[in-house]
Amino acid sequence: MNDAAHDLHAPHFIGIGGAGMSGLAKILAVRGAKVSGSDSKESETVLALKALGADVHVGHAAENVPAGTSSVVISSAIRADNPELAAAHERGIPVVHRSDALAALMGGRRALAVAGTHGKTTTTSMLAVSLAELGLEPSYAIGGDLDAPGSNAHHGVGEIFVAEADESDRSFHKYAPEVAIILNVELDHHANYASMDEIYESFETFVARIVPGGTLVISADQAGARELTSRLRDRHALRIVTVGAAEDADVRVVSVTARGMTSEVTVLFGGEELTFTVSVPGRHYAHNAVAALAAGAALGVPATELAKALGSYTGVRRRLQLKGEAGGVQVIDSYAHHPTEMTADLEAIREAADGRVLVVFQPHLFSRTQQLAEEMGQALALADASVVLDIYPAREDPIPGVTSELIIDAAQRAGADVRAEHAFAAAPALLAGLARPGDLVLTMGAGDVTNLGPEILEHLSNVATKA
């Protein structure tokens, strides 16, 4: 098979287990491509790909790239000295960025791209689940799993393709959607953007890629989104639909009422009130659902039907995902790693929790910590007590003087009860010792802090058994 300008009939993915890469590999495998790849470790995602017939190696080596490979697919996280990338260059195998591969997969479909500094995965997931619930058989590529390893992507027979549009490395400039969502516009990804002006320019480039006569759904509430909208008003070939609680919003959120771990949302849509349930807590998730509603309607899906279908969305892994309960303590996992996300999730959990909210937070990236430590500390002040781990480096090298202590100092200035834990393995026992029945423990961050949830539950069980 051949997709657009890139030959993807026998692709090799470096880092195939990653959230974005694994989804593309899955779709291509289902479409009949001969998929191979490598990842640094075995995982449930890797096993799911192997079950689809992908040839996946654990570890990176030049010999992992099979003979007959038509292209090597990489993400921005792959370093230039990766041996498989070097082998591709030596053998003259075309190297394709993940975003180009996704753009090729979207070719010939009615593309709906979800962009924004926060909320992309949740909103894309809401659309994927609700459109599938309506029998529209969408294809989708999401930055997280819905309910099982490998559920971050699907090849559907319908005409709609829903995908996250990642601004972090400007790769969302590759897409040409019929409908786009911009949830918010904030300064993040400091290694790639030096200022808000650069961020606005990047989002303007993305908007310019919307097909003529297409639709942009954008927040009417968030300051950066409103500024971007003001810069776009002269785009006559573009239909702009604003959504939010602001009085001037085209689709206005009238109310969001917390119902435990769900929310009841009422919107004014087309001059009529429409009420539906969102099965995850928090005002920000409710607003994501309203953006999904407006975008689906722009594709011609009846709003009343889509609103009802949105209630079938029950969450995505790592987005306020309940990991379990032990000793009367709930443990919930959050992917939040930017201060805005941290604040939103903590406020949502605060509404849903009966007892105290305890957080174990793992900062993600040295560059983000350097720029946003003060705001992260302020967000942690919303918890009753916090434990801060060392920085998860991901793709970055350390920056002198940048440690998690910057966040701890900021949190203490904001009045937070916060402490450091430099030994990752010691964190579960520490959290279990702090918690008491009725409390809620939140594991928060984009790194491997997610692995602590089951261990915390085990320690809580042991404490309860001895009591």
Side-chain angles (χ1 to χ4, degrees):
M1 63 176 287
N2 193 305
D3 287 87
H6 301 291
D7 189 342
L8 298 172
H9 82 274
H12 180 82
F13 287 78
I14 305 177
I16 197 170
M21 297 282 272
S22 61
L24 302 187
K26 176 184 179 181
I27 292 173
L28 282 165
V30 173
R31 288 189 182 184
K34 187 178 181 181
V35 175
S36 65
S38 64
D39 207 54
S40 59
K41 59 184 178 182
E42 191 81 85
S43 66
E44 291 180 319
T45 300
V46 166
L47 292 174
L49 287 168
K50 287 182 176 179
L52 288 172
D55 178 18
V56 183
H57 299 266
V58 175
H60 299 292
E63 55 267 26
N64 290 344
V65 184
T69 294
S70 62
S71 57
V72 168
V73 184
I74 63 169
S75 71
S76 298
I78 303 303
R79 294 176 180 254
D81 60 356
N82 182 283
E84 295 171 28
L85 181 57
H89 290 313
E90 289 170 7
R91 291 163 53 184
I93 301 171
V95 175
V96 178
H97 190 273
R98 178 189 63 82
S99 57
D100 289 306
L102 177 55
L105 291 180
M106 288 192 285
R109 303 295 179 101
R110 300 183 71 193
L112 197 165
V114 183
T117 315
H118 328 289
K120 293 184 291 293
T121 296
T122 297
T123 308
T124 309
S125 302
M126 287 175 168
L127 280 160
V129 169
S130 56
L131 293 173
E133 179 75 9
L134 293 174
L136 295 175
E137 282 289 329
S139 296
Y140 56 81
I142 308 171
D145 286 327
L146 291 172
D147 51 20
S151 63
N152 58 333
H154 177 71
H155 168 62
V157 298
E159 61 180 359
I160 298 173
F161 196 121
V162 185
E164 284 191 39
D166 184 11
E167 86 285 358
S168 66
D169 56 1
R170 295 179 172 82
S171 60
F172 66 164
H173 297 169
K174 305 289 180 63
Y175 314 135
E178 179 179 338
V179 176
I181 296 174
I182 296 180
L183 299 163
N184 34 60
V185 182
E186 291 190 50
L187 183 58
D188 194 8
H189 312 295
H190 305 277
N192 294 324
Y193 293 102
S195 66
M196 276 305 299
D197 277 339
E198 287 191 12
I199 292 279
Y200 287 129
E201 289 169 6
S202 188
F203 274 90
E204 286 184 73
T205 300
F206 167 66
V207 171
R209 296 279 299 165
I210 297 173
V211 299
T215 302
L216 170 66
V217 175
I218 188 166
S219 171
D221 299 331
Q222 199 265 331
R226 289 189 70 93
E227 169 61 23
L228 179 63
T229 301
S230 71
R231 297 178 179 218
L232 298 172
R233 286 300 185 188
D234 60 345
R235 303 281 177 96
H236 300 299
L238 178 68
R239 176 176 176 243
I240 298 177
V241 177
T242 59
V243 298
E247 288 291 331
D248 61 350
D250 298 317
V251 178
R252 186 162 67 84
V253 179
V254 177
S255 65
V256 178
T257 305
R259 308 280 191 210
M261 292 295 283
T262 69
S263 299
E264 184 180 271
V265 187
T266 299
V267 298
L268 193 62
F269 192 102
E272 297 184 3
E273 282 197 354
L274 186 61
T275 299
F276 60 100
T277 298
V278 179
S279 299
V280 284
R283 182 171 296 273
H284 63 301
Y285 288 115
H287 280 242
N288 291 345
V290 175
L293 178 71
L299 283 175
V301 182
T304 52
E305 294 181 18
L306 187 55
K308 183 178 180 180
L310 281 165
S312 62
Y313 168 81
T314 57
V316 63
R317 296 173 99 192
R318 303 231 50 214
R319 272 65 174 183
L320 294 187
Q321 180 191 10
L322 178 64
K323 304 295 285 190
E325 182 175 342
V329 178
Q330 285 187 316
V331 177
I332 291 179
D333 193 30
S334 163
Y335 187 71
H337 50 281
H338 184 283
T340 301
E341 299 163 346
M342 295 166 65
T343 299
D345 275 7
L346 282 166
E347 287 177 345
I349 286 300
R350 176 66 68 191
E351 287 185 356
D354 294 324
R356 298 179 305 159
V357 176
L358 311 178
V359 175
V360 51
F361 175 60
Q362 183 186 52
H364 187 260
L365 299 181
F366 294 100
S367 60
R368 183 178 287 120
T369 303
Q370 183 180 43
Q371 296 293 328
L372 299 174
E374 190 71 28
E375 292 84 352
M376 290 178 188
Q378 291 168 0
L380 290 177
L382 295 170
D384 292 289
S386 299
V387 174
V388 179
L389 306 174
D390 289 344
I391 297 170
Y392 185 82
R395 57 190 174 272
E396 290 188 343
D397 295 321
I399 298 174
V402 178
T403 70
S404 57
E405 295 297 330
L406 296 175
I407 298 169
I408 292 169
D409 290 345
Q412 289 173 339
R413 286 194 294 273
D417 177 0
V418 61
R419 67 204 71 186
E421 180 51 74
H422 300 293
F424 187 85
L430 175 58
L431 268 296
L434 289 173
R436 53 180 183 253
D439 288 349
L440 189 151
V441 174
L442 200 62
T443 57
M444 178 176 281
D448 56 3
V449 66
T450 183
N451 298 331
L452 295 182
E455 296 183 36
I456 294 170
L457 287 166
E458 183 178 348
H459 279 276
L460 287 167
S461 295
N462 293 338
V463 170
T465 300
K466 293 175 182 177

